Amino acid sequence: MPILGLAPSSKSTYPPHFDIERVIRPNILSLHPYRCARDDYSEGILLDANENALGHSISNGDASTSEPNGRIPTQGSEIDSTRSLDLHRYPDPSHPLIKSRIAELRGLPSSDHVFLGVGSDEVIDLLMRICVAPEREKVLITPPTYGMYAVCAQVNDVGVVKVNLELSGDGGEGGAKGRFSLRVDEVKKAVDADPSIKLIFLCSPGNPTGTLISLASIRALLEYEGFRGIVVVDEAYVDFSEPGSSAATLISEYANICVMQTLSKSFGLAAIRLGIALAQPPLIQVLSNTKAPYNISTPTAHLALKALSPASVAEMHAKIGELVANRADLLSSLQSLASLGVGEVIGTQDANFLVVPILERGRSKPDNVRAHKVYKTLAEEEGVVVRYRGSEAGCAGCLRITVGSKAENAVVIEKLRKVLDMF
């Protein structure tokens, strides 16, 4: 069954064992997407979509209304700029200029390789809905990994197969120390044993591992004839790793890969909730056919377009350079706390955070109880919020610490030293 909206010549042929029409659920392939008003016309006297013809009602003069961070909007603030955004109109359903800028930034041939979602979480959910039949089919994940894969699977009533990452260089008495790596052969065994697996989710750099999965490992799964589904590579943190690390470089060759990215991390735009899927046109078309009609809001699109301008991209890269330098300094500072029971940072440092085990006093064994006490005390008594990850596979006793500014990192080390002395 052909993909609605896709030119026949757009169907990819490599690798030969992959056929996207056999991966997409039949009810999705036959879906006629909702056609919204702005798909047809976007200019003129627009009386077709039951919008409020008098415009929005955000007042500039209400000084009693504070913004979420406590500041009071003033004349000339962002509220005034909303007048030019036509907020009373439904947004553009396709956002071609944003997609073109993303395609150029990521080295893809055209905007038809780009899909936009409400954060990466919408992309995850859509991929499961279009590919995986509830109650009958499954996804594969590689713990420790991003928790939303399992959450979305449960919401969509699909099974989850787990192939844990391998942690090499174990640090005595079960200490979490070393490097995480993808066990490619074990993943192959899992898909051989269970043909109902339709999606493989790889987080690279991993959350919470901070470890990049090699392009050679990803390519090995894409080439494997025993797996006829799609390999999904979640690259939320890829801009903090070495240039050339992105699996987006594989998209022009492989039809069975989908790379997820976001503006939340390197671009510093977590609040606008813009997620990205990069893939060959057939999969992008199916995602577009299935999404909600106006999933990306006008304010989000407005800010995303500004963020993707050449000047903003240059600023983003400058901030990444600063954060990478801060990451190295934070790593060094954490290592100076070894005598207080801070173990060696686990995984590699390819993201904007570090994962460090808290050990039993005087021993090299990770201590979940102590780590959780440190986590709670830091947050509730010292005003420093990190993330407890001790329940994740291979992360016993671990805290995940986001790389902050130099001043923030200095406070983290000072407060961590103080709290470790307490327990």
Side-chain angles (χ1 to χ4, degrees):
M1 184 181 298
I3 296 171
L4 189 67
L6 184 74
S9 60
S10 299
K11 187 176 178 181
S12 301
T13 57
Y14 193 83
H17 63 265
F18 178 75
D19 182 353
I20 190 169
E21 292 178 17
R22 292 183 178 274
V23 176
I24 305 302
R25 294 168 58 196
N27 61 306
I28 299 297
L29 277 177
S30 63
L31 176 69
H32 283 257
Y34 174 81
R35 187 157 188 85
C36 59
R38 294 301 152 257
D39 282 326
D40 295 322
Y41 305 104
S42 59
E43 296 180 355
I45 299 176
L46 300 174
L47 303 177
D48 57 342
N50 302 333
E51 300 153 327
N52 188 326
L54 301 184
H56 70 67
S57 300
I58 300 175
S59 173
N60 289 334
D62 186 3
S64 66
T65 303
S66 63
E67 295 179 357
N69 59 9
R71 292 190 298 113
I72 304 297
T74 58
Q75 295 290 334
S77 72
E78 282 297 315
I79 276 189
D80 297 302
S81 70
T82 62
R83 295 294 170 186
S84 64
L85 293 184
D86 288 335
L87 295 183
H88 62 304
R89 300 295 183 192
Y90 286 108
D92 181 344
S94 55
H95 305 289
L97 186 52
I98 295 175
K99 292 177 181 178
S100 290
R101 289 187 177 180
I102 291 171
E104 181 179 2
L105 178 67
R106 300 309 186 190
L108 296 171
S110 63
S111 61
D112 59 2
H113 290 68
V114 182
F115 172 83
L116 305 180
V118 183
S120 296
D121 296 333
E122 184 186 21
V123 178
I124 295 167
D125 183 66
L126 276 175
L127 286 168
M128 289 194 191
R129 285 197 281 140
I130 68 176
C131 295
V132 192
E135 299 184 335
R136 298 202 314 271
E137 295 178 327
K138 300 173 185 175
V139 301
L140 184 148
I141 64 174
T142 58
T145 193
Y146 182 43
M148 278 304 294
Y149 310 142
V151 170
C152 279
Q154 185 169 352
V155 168
N156 287 287
D157 201 15
V158 303
V160 176
V161 174
K162 298 178 181 180
V163 177
N164 288 8
L165 297 174
E166 183 175 33
L167 181 60
S168 58
D170 192 81
E173 296 190 54
K177 173 188 173 184
R179 180 186 179 93
F180 285 96
S181 58
L182 179 68
R183 298 187 295 165
V184 174
D185 288 342
E186 294 301 313
V187 174
K188 290 179 179 179
K189 288 179 184 178
V191 298
D192 286 343
D194 194 340
S196 72
I197 295 171
K198 300 290 288 293
L199 299 173
I200 296 174
F201 282 96
L202 305 177
C203 197
S204 178
N207 176 12
T209 68
T211 300
L212 195 73
I213 295 174
S214 71
L215 295 184
S217 293
I218 296 170
R219 190 184 288 272
L221 294 179
L222 295 171
E223 294 275 0
Y224 185 53
E225 293 185 8
F227 179 58
R228 304 299 176 92
I230 295 170
V231 177
V232 184
V233 185
D234 187 346
E235 293 189 340
Y237 302 95
V238 74
D239 288 324
F240 298 99
S241 59
E242 288 295 319
S245 303
S246 174
T249 57
L250 303 176
I251 290 172
S252 61
E253 184 177 356
Y254 294 97
N256 54 341
I257 187 172
C258 178
V259 176
M260 297 192 304
Q261 295 183 353
T262 178
L263 296 194
S264 293
K265 311 299 182 182
S266 58
F267 283 86
L269 289 172
I272 75 169
R273 309 305 301 132
L274 189 78
I276 300 160
L278 307 174
Q280 291 194 9
L283 180 58
I284 296 300
Q285 184 65 56
V286 175
L287 288 168
S288 299
N289 290 351
T290 313
K291 74 174 182 68
Y294 304 104
N295 64 330
I296 305 301
S297 73
T298 295
T300 290
H302 172 73
L303 292 169
L305 200 54
K306 293 178 71 172
L308 290 162
S309 70
S312 295
V313 170
E315 184 173 342
M316 178 267 287
H317 284 301
K319 288 182 176 177
I320 286 175
E322 182 177 348
L323 286 169
V324 168
N326 291 353
R327 182 178 68 193
D329 292 342
L330 179 60
L331 175 62
S332 177
S333 297
L334 287 168
Q335 290 172 339
S336 73
L337 301 179
S339 62
L340 295 175
V342 174
E344 292 190 32
V345 169
I346 65 171
T348 52
Q349 292 77 58
D350 295 311
N352 69 333
F353 57 84
L354 299 175
V355 180
V356 61
I358 305 300
L359 311 178
E360 290 182 1
R361 276 188 173 275
R363 302 180 68 188
S364 60
K365 184 178 180 180
D367 187 339
N368 271 348
V369 173
R370 188 180 186 214
H372 198 267
K373 287 180 179 177
V374 170
Y375 153 71
K376 293 279 284 184
T377 305
L378 280 173
E380 296 174 5
E381 299 181 20
E382 302 298 333
V384 173
V385 182
V386 297
R387 195 81 183 267
Y388 173 73
R389 298 282 80 181
S391 59
E392 302 286 336
C395 298
C398 282
L399 302 180
R400 191 189 70 195
I401 304 173
T402 303
V403 177
S405 65
K406 282 190 175 183
E408 288 173 328
N409 290 345
V411 172
V412 167
I413 297 301
E414 175 192 348
K415 298 294 187 181
L416 185 55
R417 187 187 304 274
K418 174 182 175 182
V419 172
L420 286 167
D421 274 334
M422 298 168 56
F423 302 107

